Amino acid sequence: MRPPLAAGLPANAVGSYRPWIRTDLTTAMRGTTAQARMRIACPIPEGRRPDWLRLSLRYDDGIRAWLNGHELGSDNVPVLRARSKAEALKPTVWQLIVKPDQWRAGTNQVALEGLNDRASGSDFLMQAELRFGTHRPGRFFTT
């Protein structure tokens, strides 16, 4: 028998979520809460302020994101419907223009809140990839 994964189910029941699970939240969430939170540290060198942020998200069932306390966006919050595994595994990409005053010199925090459809839910996924940078006006590439 294989050990349970993040959803508290045997590996063959979770199947398609297996590559995305790194932290088992079964004990912390099952029957107790339908939400989990995580933070991603973003060090910004002095004198630089990115003006765009790209989040690539995989989640089941809802997601909300903040940058240094400023809400960036949300989807399916509050959870109005359970997302299918196919929907959860297809990356949702948020390409955002970020105001310079939303960044700080030094370490910035992107906070994520993932929501399951219910505390007793048998599946949960929250995975994020973060990129940020500065647009350079007048630069282009020929094809």
Side-chain angles (χ1 to χ4, degrees), residues 1-5 8-15 18:
M1 183 172 146
R2 292 184 176 160
L5 298 176
L9 298 173
N12 60 356
V14 176
R18 189 178 322 160

Side-chain angles (χ1 to χ4, degrees), residues 26 47 70 122:
T26 303
H70 298 276
S122 63

